[in-house]
Amino acid sequence: MLQGIRVLDLSRVIAGPYCAALLGDLGADVIKLERPGRGDDLRALRGSGRMSASFAAVNRNKRGIAVDLQKPEGARLALDLARRADVVIENFLTGVAEKLGLGYAAVRAVNPSVVYASVTGFGQTGPLARKPGYNTIAQGMSGLMALTGMPGDPPTRVGGSVSDVAASYMTFGMVNAALVHRFRTGEGQHVDVSLVGASLGLLPDPTAIYFDTGERPKRAGNRNLNLSPAEAFQAKDGFVNVVLLNAEQWGRFCLALGDPVMETDPRFADNPARLANHAAFKARVEAILGTSSVTDWVARLEAGGIAAGPIYEFHEVFEDPQVRHLGLVAEVDQPGVGKVKMLTFPGRASGTPPRIDRPAPLLGQHTVEVLGELGLSRSEIDRLAEAGIIVLGEQP
């Protein structure tokens, strides 16, 4: 889809790099610029100084160069790359790119049609614009943690780097929309994405309910406070998620459970009654589900036209036949590590399917190649390396 689009990735860790990797999955030519020495901080996660599994996963389909942006010649090289780029992605603290001479105004001056994406904790303007932002901080300040956890328990962090990935997806969508706008009008623009904004954007329904009622939403664990059943129930060997969205499904649910009396019991006969008598309702359902396995109940409920699914432990996810069918995991031959497994692009396309064609680069692996494309001679590249402005990099 994005063949011919050139992306300069100045970002590090997850939020910016994962967006750039997704663009690369769709065919964009992505150049990742890292500082000489230790490179992206994610390289050293879990003690691996060269190539952590996490770095490999969010930096596939990129070419890598090592340039010292603190040195004027290094910053000028980056600006030359930005001059040729369709997209620039950065996640410096607000104001740092400008100090380096690589802010939006400087890049726009040499490349008016550029789509320039900034990913920060709190955005480019406002009282917290210069505050560092990380996944857990964004989760806490966006309301995600306030809504997560069991009733009576403290706020709970959502697993994974959810806020970072939410910002990645938001940036990915806005960059592609900005490219469409550019193709129509010739105009570039500055895309401003914050972790806190992207995280709050995951909560449109509780936010709408809060503004409608004025009531603060409560932590509800694995249930929906406005709909029942819409929650996790314990079966004999694990947990089953069940969701009913309309009254017509209630009779089918009771029939699948083999409890026709419950259908007309006034304590449970409609959604408001089940919400009012939730503890008794859940105990009755779990007494029935406890007689058989998760697999059995999911099959029975689905046969009865009820939406149901198992709650997997993480290792079980990758054994699910549908996950396997969708091809959501790829094995990549990664220089410096060997074969590694990682998530693929999470969607499909019939004409131009996403692909992982290139493993994550070693630090500075493509410095000579990329600078040669800028027109630098090998002697000039060697001079820059001797001056410590660039690193020629490791080779596979």
Side-chain angles (χ1 to χ4, degrees):
M1 291 181 190
L2 296 180
Q3 186 175 6
I5 296 296
R6 291 179 291 197
V7 179
L8 176 60
D9 179 13
L10 300 176
S11 63
R12 58 193 180 90
V13 191
I14 293 177
Y18 189 43
C19 169
L22 295 175
L23 296 171
D25 290 350
L26 296 186
D29 177 16
V30 183
I31 296 171
K32 180 178 179 67
L33 189 150
E34 298 178 78
R35 58 193 166 188
R38 72 173 188 253
D40 188 322
D41 291 330
L42 202 62
R43 283 187 180 275
L45 186 71
R46 298 176 62 231
S48 172
R50 296 177 68 222
M51 183 68 65
S52 71
S54 298
F55 179 87
V58 301
N59 288 285
R60 78 275 185 119
N61 280 332
K62 301 180 186 182
R63 296 188 288 166
I65 65 174
V67 179
D68 189 347
L69 298 180
Q70 300 295 328
K71 297 181 178 179
E73 280 192 278
R76 283 197 295 272
L77 286 174
L79 188 61
D80 284 343
L81 288 169
R83 188 195 311 269
R84 301 171 68 251
D86 299 290
V87 179
V88 175
I89 301 173
E90 61 91 8
N91 65 350
F92 298 111
L93 282 175
T94 300
V96 171
E98 285 74 15
K99 289 180 180 178
L100 295 170
L102 294 169
Y104 175 56
V107 173
R108 182 182 58 184
V110 299
N111 184 357
S113 64
V114 71
V115 173
Y116 186 104
S118 296
V119 188
T120 56
F122 300 93
Q124 295 296 297
T125 60
L128 298 183
R130 295 180 183 272
K131 176 184 173 70
Y134 295 93
N135 172 57
T136 305
I137 294 172
Q139 286 198 33
M141 294 183 69
S142 67
L144 270 176
M145 288 178 66
L147 297 184
T148 306
M150 301 302 291
D153 285 352
T156 302
R157 175 184 177 277
V158 179
S161 299
V162 170
S163 291
D164 286 319
V165 175
S168 295
Y169 285 157
M170 179 61 67
T171 308
F172 174 81
M174 292 188 73
V175 161
N176 279 288
L179 285 171
V180 172
H181 176 80
R182 193 191 76 171
F183 293 144
R184 280 204 319 264
T185 67
E187 299 171 353
Q189 59 186 296
H190 189 186
V191 171
D192 177 9
V193 175
S194 69
L195 268 66
V196 72
S199 302
L200 184 55
L202 297 173
L203 305 172
D205 45 335
T207 300
I209 293 169
Y210 167 68
F211 284 131
D212 182 51
T213 65
E215 298 177 5
R216 289 183 296 177
K218 302 173 182 177
R219 286 185 284 284
N222 296 321
R223 62 172 291 208
N224 186 319
L225 292 177
N226 302 293
L227 194 64
S228 182
E231 60 191 282
F233 296 99
Q234 186 157 15
K236 188 174 184 179
D237 59 350
F239 291 86
V240 181
N241 270 323
V242 179
V243 178
L244 269 64
L245 283 178
N246 57 61
E248 289 72 23
Q249 294 171 328
W250 172 241
R252 299 203 300 270
F253 176 71
C254 295
L255 183 63
L257 262 58
D259 188 356
V261 175
M262 185 167 61
E263 182 178 0
T264 56
D265 188 319
R267 296 174 300 163
F268 313 130
D270 58 26
N271 187 61
R274 293 190 291 275
L275 291 173
N277 299 284
H278 180 262
F281 171 64
K282 184 170 185 177
R284 183 161 179 162
V285 171
E286 290 192 329
I288 297 170
L289 296 182
T291 63
S292 192
S293 68
V294 168
T295 301
D296 182 36
W297 281 117
V298 169
R300 287 197 218 179
L301 289 164
E302 289 183 339
I306 303 299
I311 297 180
Y312 289 138
E313 291 295 333
F314 197 69
H315 68 282
E316 296 175 301
V317 173
F318 306 103
E319 301 302 320
D320 184 271
Q322 187 64 22
V323 171
R324 290 186 169 189
H325 170 77
L326 293 174
L328 296 176
V329 177
E331 188 171 73
V332 176
D333 191 4
Q334 179 64 59
V337 178
K339 292 198 177 293
V340 297
K341 290 183 178 180
M342 62 183 67
L343 294 179
T344 60
F345 191 91
R348 290 176 152 191
S350 61
T352 52
R355 302 186 309 186
I356 300 177
D357 291 327
R358 185 191 293 271
L362 299 173
L363 181 59
Q365 179 180 341
H366 303 97
T367 300
V368 174
E369 176 183 315
V370 171
L371 295 186
E373 292 171 3
L374 282 180
L376 274 70
S377 67
R378 183 55 198 252
S379 61
E380 178 64 7
I381 292 172
D382 289 339
R383 183 192 69 79
L384 293 169
E386 290 172 7
I389 295 164
I390 65 172
V391 171
L392 300 185
E394 305 172 75
Q395 296 302 311

